[in-house]
Amino acid sequence: MRLIRKKIAIVVVLVYVFFSLYAAYNVFFNKKVISRVHRVVKKGSATSDSANVAEEEWNPWEEDERVDSINVLQKRREAYRSYQEHIAKSRPKRYKVQIWGKAAIGLYLWEHILEGPLNPTVKTGHWREGEIQSGKINFSFYTGPAVVQGHVPLDTDSVVLVLNGREQQKISYSLQWLQHAQALVQAHTISRVAVVLLGSEQCTNDWISPYLKRQGGFVDLLFLVYDSPWVNDKDVFQWPLGVATYRDFPVVTPNTQMVSSARPYVCNFLGTVYKNSSREILMGILKQNDMEKQCLTNAREKWLPQETAETSRQYHTALAQSDLTLCPVGVNSECYRIYEACAYGSVPVVEDVLTPGSCADGRSSPLRLLKDAGAPFIFLKDWNELPALLKKEHVMTQAEKTERRMRLLEWYAGFRQQMKDKFTEVLEEGFFKLS
């Protein structure tokens, strides 16, 4: 009997141990069972406690809230996109224009008017280029002997050609560039073309007429030097001759000494004296009135395209040391000397007569561009008026001369800015229809 009880107790203990180990195994090692139970509980199919837990976790509006959240996110994205588009529209649009400088007046346009840089800075460089922004246009400029047809890197469809049409040899060269530009237009490589032209001193420029758009050509705009009757301020605009950049005339920066210091000479004239010209008359008047001591003069009989280092130095010194610069007419009334005198603050005394040729004979001609801009020059119809003018100079105080010099320098700076603004605005309107 005792033995039976002992066996029963052992069996009970073994059963207890077995169930304890089984329970421990399920708790600590059998994760699948727990997960399966967890999923059943989520479905609400077990006990009331499980149902309560499932009720707490399930949200009947969850789908609506998710849709609302997506809508809010989309609205935010649309608002941000609209903001970006508004910023893009508000940002000023930039246009690209290339200038191909195949005439020396291109340097006056680029360095003196647009005030653009050039690299390399050495003037003898075969390829020189620069970039500058004016108005809504980003200009790039290329010049030098290495700038040849078909080898200018085009990153725009808008081009300005700077050409020389003063004599037949220059015209032939300019025609080659116009024909090259025409081929680019026909190939749809470029679509807008303007020309800055150093025209004939007699204003005979018929050779370029067939290329103008109004004559069935492709040139949209023409900026033309001298008082041409073609100028209408619609598609043909007058352009200043400027300084002799082909003789390396620099950009002169005024300083205090240039403005206020007394100058040793009343006037100057260094240049070519042609037979039977008003220049001969001028030199005769200076000699007759014993003015050669007051005025620095150096006359030569033959025109030279280039200056030596010495003659260039003499010329710049004469401009810087004279109150007045005498500007007799040459083949045209407009000459480089006028602008070069302005650069040094030496007041141009201009012979105000129309030269032979086909130039406009209007109310403001000759030199209508400068007159319309209010140039503070001294205009003479006859060099016989010069002695009386020089007598007035002798009674002027240094303060009066300084004030006049300052006025001239300020005017010339303002004139170049005016030309820069005009050039930019004409291209913006003519090329890109901006007003």
Side-chain angles (χ1 to χ4, degrees):
M1 187 68 177
R2 186 179 295 174
L3 179 60
I4 293 171
R5 290 178 179 173
K6 187 176 181 180
K7 287 181 179 180
I8 293 171
I10 290 172
V11 171
V12 171
V13 170
L14 289 174
V15 171
Y16 175 78
V17 170
F18 173 77
F19 280 104
S20 296
L21 291 173
Y22 179 75
Y25 171 78
N26 282 329
V27 170
F28 294 105
F29 299 102
N30 197 351
K31 293 184 178 180
K32 282 186 177 180
V33 175
I34 297 173
S35 297
R36 188 161 53 248
V37 171
H38 181 67
R39 283 198 297 272
V40 170
V41 168
K42 272 195 171 184
K43 290 180 181 179
S45 61
T47 63
S48 60
D49 290 340
S50 299
N52 290 336
V53 172
E55 186 177 350
E56 290 177 2
E57 293 188 1
W58 179 67
N59 183 356
W61 296 281
E62 180 178 4
E63 185 65 22
D64 293 339
E65 290 178 354
R66 187 173 67 83
V67 172
D68 291 342
S69 177
I70 292 173
N71 290 337
V72 169
L73 183 60
Q74 287 178 342
K75 288 180 180 179
R76 287 178 179 174
R77 286 176 179 172
E78 290 173 1
Y80 180 72
R81 193 179 299 112
S82 298
Y83 173 73
Q84 292 289 79
E85 291 174 355
H86 174 73
I87 292 296
K89 289 179 181 178
S90 301
R91 188 182 298 118
K93 188 173 182 180
R94 296 294 175 199
Y95 302 89
K96 288 185 177 181
V97 173
Q98 283 190 357
I99 303 174
W100 300 349
K102 298 311 299 176
I105 59 167
L107 291 174
Y108 184 72
L109 164 63
W110 184 253
E111 294 188 297
H112 296 251
I113 300 294
L114 296 178
E115 299 179 297
L118 268 182
N119 294 304
T121 56
V122 58
K123 297 182 183 299
T124 55
H126 287 279
W127 178 285
R128 304 176 73 196
E129 62 182 76
E131 293 185 356
I132 197 170
Q133 179 183 312
S134 179
K136 294 181 175 65
I137 299 178
N138 291 329
F139 287 105
S140 54
F141 180 77
Y142 300 94
T143 191
V147 177
V148 296
Q149 297 164 20
H151 292 276
V152 181
L154 265 173
D155 63 351
T156 176
D157 62 354
S158 304
V159 170
V160 176
L161 272 173
V162 185
L163 303 174
N164 188 334
R166 245 189 187 177
E167 56 191 44
Q168 190 55 50
Q169 184 179 1
K170 302 292 186 182
I171 291 173
S172 298
Y173 183 68
S174 295
L175 284 170
Q176 294 175 19
W177 276 95
L178 282 170
Q179 290 160 6
H180 172 63
Q182 186 175 35
L184 293 177
V185 170
Q186 291 171 347
H188 304 289
T189 304
I190 59 177
S191 58
R192 306 176 188 93
V193 178
V195 172
V196 177
L197 178 64
L198 175 56
S200 158
E201 291 176 280
Q202 293 84 17
C203 298
T204 53
N205 303 297
D206 292 342
W207 61 273
I208 199 174
S209 181
Y211 294 93
L212 302 182
K213 187 161 279 188
R214 61 175 168 171
Q215 298 293 335
F218 64 93
V219 175
D220 299 273
L221 303 166
L222 177 63
F223 297 87
L224 187 56
V225 176
Y226 301 124
D227 293 333
S228 171
W230 291 5
V231 173
N232 57 15
D233 289 329
K234 294 178 181 177
D235 64 334
V236 181
F237 302 84
Q238 190 165 354
W239 192 250
L241 174 62
V243 301
T245 53
Y246 72 95
R247 289 178 174 171
D248 297 329
F249 194 93
V251 177
V252 180
T253 304
N255 54 44
T256 303
Q257 183 179 5
M258 180 189 294
V259 174
S260 59
S261 64
R263 300 191 175 187
Y265 298 100
V266 177
C267 64
N268 78 80
F269 174 72
L270 281 69
T272 308
V273 176
Y274 306 101
K275 291 291 183 181
N276 302 318
S277 69
S278 66
R279 297 188 178 196
E280 273 191 333
I281 296 173
L282 169 61
M283 296 305 295
I285 290 172
L286 290 174
K287 288 179 181 179
Q288 289 172 8
N289 292 271
D290 197 25
M291 298 177 188
E292 292 179 298
K293 294 180 181 178
Q294 306 172 41
C295 295
L296 185 59
T297 60
N298 186 5
R300 61 189 178 202
E301 294 182 356
K302 186 178 179 181
W303 178 80
L304 299 174
Q306 295 294 331
E307 299 283 354
T308 66
E310 179 59 24
T311 58
S312 179
R313 184 193 63 79
Q314 290 175 356
Y315 180 62
H316 286 265
T317 300
L319 295 174
Q321 294 188 352
S322 304
D323 289 316
L324 308 175
T325 292
L326 307 180
C327 302
V329 299
V331 182
N332 192 281
S333 306
E334 189 173 2
C335 61
Y336 296 114
R337 183 179 286 103
I338 293 173
Y339 298 89
E340 292 162 351
C342 290
Y344 277 100
S346 182
V347 179
V349 180
V350 180
E351 185 179 5
D352 189 17
V353 296
L354 195 66
T355 50
S358 302
C359 295
D361 184 10
R363 178 182 57 83
S364 299
S365 299
L367 306 171
R368 63 186 177 191
L369 179 66
L370 297 171
K371 290 176 180 176
D372 289 347
F377 303 163
I378 299 172
F379 293 96
L380 300 179
K381 291 293 185 182
D382 193 315
W383 285 115
N384 287 307
E385 302 173 36
L386 183 60
L389 172 65
L390 296 185
K391 285 182 180 179
K392 292 180 180 178
E393 288 293 310
H394 283 300
V395 299
M396 285 185 69
T397 66
Q398 183 56 40
E400 289 173 329
K401 291 181 179 180
T402 297
E403 182 181 353
R404 181 179 64 182
R405 199 176 302 158
M406 176 66 77
R407 188 164 62 249
L408 174 64
L409 290 168
E410 288 178 347
W411 173 84
Y412 185 51
F415 173 75
R416 285 178 290 153
Q417 182 64 48
Q418 180 182 342
M419 290 296 102
K420 177 180 180 179
D421 294 342
K422 179 178 181 179
F423 183 73
T424 304
E425 289 168 6
V426 168
L427 290 181
E428 286 179 350
E429 173 61 22
F431 277 8
F432 311 113
K433 307 303 178 186
L434 302 178
S435 58

